[in-house]
């Protein structure tokens, strides 16, 4: 980069050492993991790298072979394909160069290779075992063919009702895992494509398909009886198209002539149950030429109607990385206990020697019952009916490697039974066992860092949680007997996900399944997609969950600049809104049906997570108004003006009804909870500025009343920090963020969490598991606050779709000395960062070429800048006066406002002989000006009062990074 100097008044940069502009990247359509494209007309996106200030594109030229097309204007994101459409299997290269408004041109880019990885026609038929002897029986399928002349190209395409690995002449055709993933099989099948030209040989060739049931044969249940939804047996489809040098072509496809074996080494396999492998049943060479398959039966050709398979548009599941064992111990029951140091999603790989017939069993769990070094056992209750167990029967050869092939688990810990040989921790620490991390192969695009180590660890937990749960579909949890594509979790987390990873194609693919399920249900959006529990997931419209059909497309359009996603899913948005409008009562409110409301409010009973403190009618009507407004705006943008006018009018009628029913003129909600205020503010449901201000004041009051502890479920958590900041109470949002007592975002981090939990108190303060029926320690929804860290604390967001205009609006937190967010936008890297320096703040913004920036500095200055790196010095106001010394005569509000005094107060109570007192006071405390500390200690004896008084007198304010701050204590492992 060139040098940049800073003008404190306006931040206008001057540069020395200009780097000439160049095309930094060129990509096609929605995938960056492969040259494969799923459409004949892939849209093109390019970025320019330069430190020339204000660089803006005036024109671009695209070159394909000898053909050059010149495009005037700024467009460089998802630009329509300007050449003749690609034909199936065609390979080509394109290049781009661009010129700026100031006359500076880039050289031609590096060529981008493109491969039209879609079939000219789908002719394969589903095949399976002819006579399976058990449900969901894995199978090996094969056929052979002859090659008698030179081959120009060979392409294999395959899919399954289940999961399958494809091989050619004994070699895997790709590095994909769990292909083809999970879709709504009855309405949509996705196929994989691989270039196998290099694997073809003269003479005999063999195609192999290793097949298991996967999601297709799984027995689904969410607190219901297990039941297979799709079918009892998996099926596979594949077709190999061979193009010869003489211009002829041939297709070998599944159908008649294939052979099948159901007695291979994978004895059983399930997503929830795990996998049983018996190496004694290995079939060497089964997928190679020359293998004698005469003892195999003919594969059954299944005559059933199926949707025409479509080419993959989203990145597939792959192995992301491998992780070593971090610690070794023994359970009380004698099993080997391994800790990988990170809650992850994937499976384990074993390297083992032992006698033939030895069965090594591996179980998986996220947390432990007990201390790791003192005989802890796996905490299996959170798994419910998911066995999550893999077993491997040794063949007795010199050295064997085992890894499950068609399942995955969520775990940090495993225990191993019957490991052959003496117990030697060094064996496991040196690589005998390692964890294989799996996930959809999404490109990382967003980063956040700050000066607080717990906050950084929390953000890293959010990243790990996304990586684990975004596997084939956006799951809600990867470990128990669920792992479903819940709509509510996805819509709440989507803004965070879209910042951290390029998940546009991934979520768009899932939305297609959701839209198909919705169409089948006549406009009703089910609780999850694919929808595998009819009668549970589709009993009626559910607010915040069904709204995903409108909210997620808008998030994708905002983050990517791709308006086509709105057009594709607009019919579903309209149908959903019309359905919800038909459920309003006479006042215009949504008060009917089953609602999950502010699900998992920490104040709800453990086994009744929908019974939070916030009225379900408030949540439902708030979402009705928000989604109806959004749909009306999208309708107008797409030119559906009649729809827009009608839906906007209905939204306004329900908004007025909401205010009349739930909001008083003095700014009180009829339901005095954090979520009620946060939704009303965040969804802009009150148009009176005075009342909105009062609502913000009351929200801050309620947050303090609750002891600056979270009192929101999934719905409220996604918006509470934004609502506080938007109404001028950033300090209250900061207190919520840095709370370490449960319930809070940082409490799990203080006890060793490495992913985000489903429940605020999945592990209780006493080390016990939450008694609820659902306890996941890898769940995306509560990580939605990361969107506020990115957009408000660090200050980076999109002011126009696709970051065509970048907003930099940092709102520093007092407890931080610096914060930074970076995002790879469609135009290139953007950044917002700030740090405290003597006398103020230094704010830094990086605006990508071909964009502009809207700058909103903490001192109130608002600026427009061009591309480049900019810095400003911002004077900070004097720090607030230290709080008045807290004594027994102070109010509980004073105690809440002084973290040091609050800590000293409860530490003193916890040290008293009456061990129940601290818990009782904490559970019943209301931190309001009208309640005194003595009132909270009404049952305390004189000695306790004296101890508390002395502790309060000794308390001193805690500063950022204070070593005495409990947020910086040594963390325990993720176990009770």
């Amino acid at each position: 980069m060139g040098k940049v100097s800073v003008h404190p008044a306006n931040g206008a940069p001057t540069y020395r050492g200009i780097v000439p502009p160049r095309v930094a990247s060129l990509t096609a359509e929605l995938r960056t993991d492969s040259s494969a494209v799923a459409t004949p007309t892939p849209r093109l996106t390019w970025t320019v790298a330069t430190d020339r200030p204000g660089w803006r594109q005036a024109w671009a030229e695209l070159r394909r072979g000898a053909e050059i097309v010149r495009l005037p204007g700024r467009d460089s994101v998802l630009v329509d394909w300007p050449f003749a459409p690609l034909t199936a299997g065609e390979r080509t290269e394109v290049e781009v160069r661009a010129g700026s408004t100031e006359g500076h041109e880039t050289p031609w880019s590096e060529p981008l290779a493109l491969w039209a990885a879609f079939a000219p026609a789908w002719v394969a038929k589903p095949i399976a075992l002819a006579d399976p002897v058990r449900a969901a029986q894995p199978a090996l399928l094969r056929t052979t063919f002859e090659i008698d002349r030179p081959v120009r190209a060979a392409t294999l395409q395959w899919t399954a009702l289940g999961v399958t690995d494809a091989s050619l002449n004994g070699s895997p055709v790709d590095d994909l895992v769990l292909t083809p993933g999970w879709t709504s099989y009855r309405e949509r099948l996705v196929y994989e494509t691989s270039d196998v030209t290099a694997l073809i040989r003269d003479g005999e060739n063999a195609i192999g398909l290793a097949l298991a049931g996967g999601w297709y044969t799984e027995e689904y249940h969410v607190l219901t009886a297990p039941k297979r939804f799709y079918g009892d047996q998996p099926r596979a489809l594949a077709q190999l198209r061979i193009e010869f040098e003489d211009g002829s072509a041939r297709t070998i496809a599944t159908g008649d002539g294939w052979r099948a074996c159901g007695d291979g080494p994978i004895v059983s396999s399930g997503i929830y149950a795990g996998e049983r492998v018996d190496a004694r049943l290995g079939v060497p060479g089964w997928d190679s030429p020359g293998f004698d398959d005469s003892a195999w039966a003919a594969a059954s050709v299944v005559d059933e109607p199926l949707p025409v398979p479509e080419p993959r548009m989203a990145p597939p599941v792959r192995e992301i990385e491998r992780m070593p064992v971090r610690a070794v111990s023994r359970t009380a029951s004698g099993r080997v206990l391994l800790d990988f140091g990170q809650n992850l999603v994937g499976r384990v790989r074993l390297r083992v020697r032992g006698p033939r017939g030895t069965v090594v069993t591996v179980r998986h769990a996220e947390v432990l019952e007990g201390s790791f070094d003192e005989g802890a056992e796996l905490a299996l209750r959170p798994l419910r009916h998911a066995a999550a167990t893999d077993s491997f029967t040794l063949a007795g050869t010199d050295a064997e490697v085992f890894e499950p092939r068609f399942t995955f688990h969520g775990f940090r810990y495993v225990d191993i039974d019957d490991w052959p040989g003496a117990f030697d921790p060094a064996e496991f620490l040196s690589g005998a066992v390692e964890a294989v991390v799996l996930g959809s192969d999404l490109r990382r695009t967003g980063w956040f860092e700050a000066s607080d180590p717990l906050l950084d660890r929390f953000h890293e937990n959010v990243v790990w949680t996304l990586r684990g749960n975004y596997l084939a579909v956006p799951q809600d949890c990867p470990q128990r007997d669920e792992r479903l594509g819940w709509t509510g979790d996805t819509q709440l987390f989507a803004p965070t996900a879209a910042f951290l990873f390029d998940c546009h194609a991934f979520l768009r693919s899932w939305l297609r399944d959701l839209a198909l399920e919705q169409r089948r249900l006549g406009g009703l959006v089910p609780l999850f997609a694919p929808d595998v529990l009819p009668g549970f997931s589709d009993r009626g419209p559910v607010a915040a969950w069904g709204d995903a059909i409108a909210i997620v497309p808008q998030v994708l359009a905002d983050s990517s600049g791709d308006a086509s996603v709105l057009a594709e899913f607009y019919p579903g948005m309209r149908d959903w809104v019309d359905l919800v409008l038909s459920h309003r009562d006479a006042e215009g409110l949504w008060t009917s049906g089953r609602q999950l409301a502010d699900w998992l409010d920490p104040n709800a009973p453990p086994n009744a997570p929908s019974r939070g403190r916030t009225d379900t009618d408030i949540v439902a009507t708030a979402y009705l108004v928000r989604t109806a407004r959004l749909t009306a705006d999208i309708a107008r943008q797409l030119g559906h003006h009649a729809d827009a006018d009608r839906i906007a009018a209905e939204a306004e009628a329900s908004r007025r009804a909401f205010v009349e029913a739930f909001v008083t003129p003095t700014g009180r909600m009829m339901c005095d909870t954090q979520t009620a205020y946060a939704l009303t503010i965040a969804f802009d449901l009150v148009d009176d500025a005075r009342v909105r201000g009062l609502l913000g004041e009351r929200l801050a009051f309620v947050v303090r009343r609750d002891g600056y502890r979270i009192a929101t479920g999934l719905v409220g958590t996604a918006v509470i920090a934004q609502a506080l900041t938007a109404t001028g109470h950033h300090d209250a949002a900061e207190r919520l963020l840095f709370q370490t007592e449960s319930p809070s975002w940082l409490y799990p981090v203080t006890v060793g969490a490495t992913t985000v939990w489903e429940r605020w108190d999945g592990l209780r303060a006493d080390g016990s598991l939450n008694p609820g029926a659902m306890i996941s320690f890898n769940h995306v929804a509560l990580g939605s606050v990361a969107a506020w860290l990115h957009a408000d604390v660090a200050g980076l967001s999109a002011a126009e779709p696709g970051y065509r205009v970048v907003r930099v609006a940092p709102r520093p937190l007092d407890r931080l000395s610096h914060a930074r967010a970076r995002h790879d936008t469609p135009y290139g890297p953007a950044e917002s960062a700030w740090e405290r320096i003597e006398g103020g703040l230094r704010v830094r913004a990086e605006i990508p070429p071909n964009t502009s920036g809207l700058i909103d500095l903490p001192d109130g200055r608002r600026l427009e800048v061009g591309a480049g790196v900019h810095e400003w010095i911002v004077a900070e106001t004097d720090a607030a006066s230290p709080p008045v010394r807290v004594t027994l005569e102070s109010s509980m509000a004073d105690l809440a406002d002084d973290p040091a005094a609050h800590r000293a107060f409860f530490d003193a109570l916890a040290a008293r002989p009456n061990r129940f007192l601290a818990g009782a006071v904490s559970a019943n405390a209301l931190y309001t000006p009208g309640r005194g500390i003595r009132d909270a200690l009404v049952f305390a004896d004189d000695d306790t009062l004296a101890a508390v008084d002395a502790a309060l007198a000794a308390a001193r304010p805690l500063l950022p990074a204070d070593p005495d701050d409990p947020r910086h204590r040594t963390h325990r492992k993720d176990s009770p």
Side-chain angles (χ1 to χ4, degrees):
M1 296 292 289
K3 301 290 186 179
V4 58
S5 62
V6 181
H7 191 293
N10 58 22
T14 59
Y15 289 78
R16 301 188 303 275
I18 296 296
V19 175
R22 62 180 177 83
V23 175
S25 66
L26 173 60
T27 58
E29 200 53 33
L30 301 178
R31 287 182 66 177
T32 57
D33 68 303
S34 169
S35 63
V37 292
T39 171
T41 54
R43 294 171 296 174
L44 300 172
T45 297
W46 57 90
T47 64
V48 170
T50 180
D51 60 359
R52 185 173 294 279
W55 199 96
R56 178 170 294 198
Q57 180 180 293
W59 57 265
E61 288 182 338
L62 292 164
R63 181 166 69 186
R64 180 188 182 198
E67 183 179 5
I68 297 177
V69 176
R70 189 176 181 93
L71 304 172
R74 283 183 61 190
D75 289 348
S76 62
V77 173
L78 296 171
V79 174
D80 287 341
W81 180 254
F83 307 110
L86 302 175
T87 58
E90 182 178 0
R91 291 181 178 273
T92 191
E93 290 183 344
V94 294
E95 301 163 85
V96 66
R97 67 177 178 181
S100 75
T101 53
E102 295 181 346
H104 303 288
E105 298 182 11
T106 74
W108 285 104
S109 68
E110 291 295 319
L112 172 66
L114 295 177
W115 176 32
F118 47 86
W122 194 262
V123 298
K125 298 178 181 178
I127 59 173
L129 285 175
D131 297 300
V133 296
R134 56 190 180 275
Q137 185 172 351
L140 302 176
L141 307 167
R142 64 173 264 123
T143 194
T144 60
F145 60 94
E146 296 286 335
I147 293 294
D148 59 2
R149 54 192 184 277
V151 172
R152 184 174 65 82
T155 303
L156 180 68
Q157 287 151 335
W158 74 98
T159 187
L161 300 171
V163 286
T164 187
D165 283 346
S167 56
L168 182 61
N169 294 329
S171 297
V173 303
D174 221 322
D175 62 349
L176 312 186
V177 178
L178 297 170
T179 61
W182 186 17
T183 56
S184 297
Y185 297 114
R186 296 176 179 177
E187 288 85 19
R188 181 170 178 251
L189 274 176
V190 168
Y191 64 81
E192 312 288 358
T193 302
S194 184
D195 181 352
V196 295
T197 308
L199 299 179
I200 296 288
R201 63 178 65 171
D202 291 337
E204 185 180 48
N205 290 256
I207 306 172
L209 300 173
L211 176 67
W215 292 279
Y216 184 77
T217 59
E218 191 54 71
E219 294 183 290
Y220 295 101
H221 43 117
V222 180
L223 305 179
T224 60
K227 183 179 180 181
R228 287 190 173 88
F229 177 72
Y230 295 113
D232 291 334
Q233 297 296 334
R235 300 137 165 75
L237 302 88
Q239 56 189 38
L240 174 65
R241 178 176 171 81
I242 304 171
E243 300 174 15
F244 298 100
E245 293 287 1
D246 63 9
S248 63
R250 179 185 177 193
T251 298
I252 296 96
T254 51
D256 294 332
W258 284 67
R259 311 290 285 180
C261 171
D263 299 317
I266 301 179
V267 178
S268 65
S269 181
I271 297 295
Y272 299 155
E275 201 159 278
R276 288 176 53 210
V277 178
D278 189 339
R280 298 171 301 178
L281 303 177
V283 189
W286 72 272
D287 55 353
S288 298
F291 177 79
D292 182 5
D293 61 11
S294 60
W296 289 23
S300 172
V301 181
V302 183
D303 185 14
E304 62 180 321
L306 291 175
V308 176
E310 64 182 60
R312 170 170 294 283
M313 64 176 293
V317 177
R318 285 192 170 97
E319 176 183 320
I320 304 300
E321 64 177 290
R322 299 184 190 178
M323 303 190 71
V325 172
R326 299 295 184 186
V328 183
S329 185
R330 296 295 288 267
T331 68
S333 57
R335 294 178 173 89
V336 176
L337 180 62
L338 305 179
D339 176 10
F340 291 96
Q342 171 65 52
N343 198 20
L344 58 92
V345 176
R347 51 225 192 177
V348 296
R349 176 175 290 150
L350 313 179
R351 296 173 179 85
V352 58
R353 287 182 174 88
R356 182 178 177 85
T358 301
V359 179
V360 178
T361 303
V362 182
R363 302 188 303 175
H364 307 74
E366 296 182 300
V367 293
L368 301 175
E369 300 267 17
S371 172
F372 180 83
D373 296 319
E374 299 176 3
E377 299 283 356
L378 298 184
L380 299 176
R381 179 168 66 84
L383 304 181
R384 298 193 306 214
H385 293 95
T389 300
D390 301 323
S391 68
F392 308 96
T393 302
L394 276 57
T397 56
D398 182 46
E400 300 177 72
V401 177
F402 291 96
E403 179 185 338
R405 194 168 186 177
F406 296 120
T407 190
F408 64 92
H409 310 288
F411 64 98
R412 171 175 172 170
Y413 304 95
V414 301
D415 71 18
I416 302 179
D417 200 17
D418 291 332
W419 184 268
F423 173 64
D424 180 7
E427 181 180 10
F428 301 102
L429 293 171
S430 61
V433 180
E434 61 184 343
V436 179
V437 181
L438 301 178
S440 289
D441 192 11
L442 307 178
R443 179 175 62 94
R444 182 78 183 268
T445 57
W447 296 265
F448 171 86
E449 62 181 61
S451 56
D452 186 276
L454 286 195
L455 186 58
D456 274 1
R457 178 66 246 192
F458 169 76
H459 191 269
E460 185 67 8
N461 290 0
V462 174
V463 172
W464 271 99
T465 302
L466 185 154
R467 291 176 72 185
N469 282 279
Y470 277 30
L471 187 156
V473 300
Q475 302 175 109
D476 66 316
C477 57
Q479 70 299 105
R480 66 177 179 232
D481 55 351
E482 195 167 330
R483 315 186 197 186
L484 303 172
W486 284 85
T487 50
D489 304 70
T490 302
Q491 75 89 359
L492 293 166
F493 189 67
T496 297
F499 184 91
L500 291 174
F501 286 85
D502 179 4
C503 54
H504 182 100
F506 173 82
L507 288 177
R508 189 165 186 168
S509 178
W510 172 77
L511 281 168
R512 288 183 175 177
D513 291 303
L514 183 61
L516 288 167
E517 302 284 11
Q518 181 196 19
R519 190 180 308 163
R520 178 178 55 82
L521 295 170
L524 173 66
V525 178
L527 292 176
F528 37 76
D531 179 13
V532 291
L533 288 169
F536 174 88
S537 61
D538 51 15
R539 289 170 54 189
V542 177
W545 275 253
D547 297 277
I549 195 63
I551 294 171
V552 177
Q554 183 65 65
V555 170
L556 297 183
D558 287 343
S559 62
S560 69
D562 186 359
S564 72
V565 70
L566 301 178
E568 179 175 356
F569 297 107
Y570 172 72
M573 304 176 196
R574 180 196 58 217
D575 292 348
W576 166 253
V577 168
D578 284 343
L579 177 66
V580 171
L581 290 174
S582 72
H583 281 71
R584 288 181 301 178
D585 63 18
E587 297 178 62
L589 306 173
W590 188 3
T591 58
S592 62
R594 175 189 58 165
Q595 296 295 340
L596 301 182
D598 194 24
W599 184 256
L600 287 171
D601 179 335
N603 296 286
N607 281 316
S610 65
R611 290 179 56 193
R613 294 192 299 176
T614 304
D615 192 328
T616 59
D617 298 348
I618 289 179
V619 175
T621 307
Y623 263 94
L624 181 158
V625 175
R626 180 200 183 188
T627 300
R629 281 173 161 177
L630 176 61
T631 301
D633 289 344
I634 293 170
R636 200 170 306 283
Q637 178 181 335
L638 297 174
H640 305 301
H641 296 292
D643 281 356
D645 292 342
R646 174 180 60 83
I647 294 172
E650 299 288 4
E652 176 60 15
S654 286
R655 186 199 67 78
R656 291 178 178 175
F658 179 95
V659 173
E660 185 174 348
F662 303 126
V663 185
T664 74
T666 58
R668 292 282 191 102
M669 296 295 297
M670 299 302 291
C671 188
D672 199 36
T673 65
Q674 294 181 19
T675 292
Y677 290 99
L679 287 178
T680 303
I681 293 166
F683 292 178
D684 200 20
L685 301 179
V686 172
D687 58 7
D688 185 309
R690 181 189 65 83
V691 176
R692 177 181 168 86
L694 293 172
L695 288 168
E697 291 178 11
R698 184 65 187 181
L699 173 58
F701 178 94
V702 168
V703 166
R704 183 174 67 174
R705 179 197 69 192
D706 294 339
Y708 294 106
R709 297 186 190 183
I710 281 288
T712 54
L714 270 58
V715 166
T717 298
V719 294
I720 187 166
Q722 291 96 322
L724 286 165
T725 295
T727 52
H729 301 283
H730 199 54
D731 56 337
E734 178 175 357
R735 289 292 305 276
L736 267 182
L737 176 67
F738 285 109
Q739 176 65 263
T740 57
E741 296 179 9
S742 178
S744 68
W745 285 292
L746 294 186
Y747 163 72
V749 184
T750 67
V751 295
T754 60
T755 43
V756 179
W757 297 353
E758 177 180 29
R759 290 182 181 269
W760 298 106
D761 59 347
L763 292 178
R764 298 288 179 87
D766 62 3
S768 63
L769 290 170
N770 184 293
M774 2 178 293
I775 325 170
S776 165
F777 294 91
N778 196 346
H779 211 89
V780 299
L782 299 183
S784 57
V785 71
W788 175 74
L789 296 178
H790 305 149
D792 289 280
V793 175
L796 182 61
S797 61
E800 288 188 7
Y803 292 83
R804 191 177 178 102
V805 177
V806 178
R807 176 177 285 111
V808 173
R811 295 295 175 261
L813 299 178
D814 289 342
R815 298 198 192 191
L816 297 179
S817 61
H818 67 265
R820 170 179 174 265
R822 188 170 183 85
H823 181 67
D824 282 349
T825 79
Y827 295 90
E831 182 176 303
S832 174
W834 59 266
E835 62 176 334
R836 286 196 158 85
I837 59 175
E838 185 175 353
L841 295 169
R842 176 183 288 115
V843 177
R844 180 181 188 277
E846 180 177 348
I847 309 299
N850 206 27
T851 71
S852 59
L854 291 179
I855 313 300
D856 185 352
L857 295 173
D859 61 6
R861 280 181 288 165
R862 289 173 170 79
L863 312 167
E864 295 185 17
V865 299
V869 177
H870 308 265
E871 290 185 0
W872 300 267
I873 304 301
V874 178
E876 282 199 286
T877 57
D878 292 337
S881 301
V884 177
R885 178 65 66 185
V886 177
T887 70
L888 287 176
E889 310 312 317
S890 300
S891 73
M892 291 296 286
D894 294 331
L895 184 66
D897 287 339
D898 188 333
H902 185 271
R903 172 190 163 191
F905 176 82
F906 280 102
D907 282 353
L909 289 181
R912 301 304 300 161
N914 181 356
R915 59 192 180 92
F916 299 105
L917 182 61
V921 172
S922 178
N924 291 284
L926 292 176
Y927 298 88
T928 60
R931 291 176 171 82
I933 293 177
R934 283 190 181 275
D935 296 330
L937 298 175
V938 64
F939 295 112
D941 56 35
D942 289 343
D943 289 343
T944 298
L945 290 173
V948 171
D949 191 37
L952 291 174
R956 63 181 180 83
L958 294 175
L959 302 174
D962 190 322
D964 291 332
D965 189 330
R967 296 180 298 113
H968 299 281
R969 292 175 177 170
T970 301
H971 304 169
R972 293 193 289 114
K973 287 182 181 289
D974 202 359
S975 61

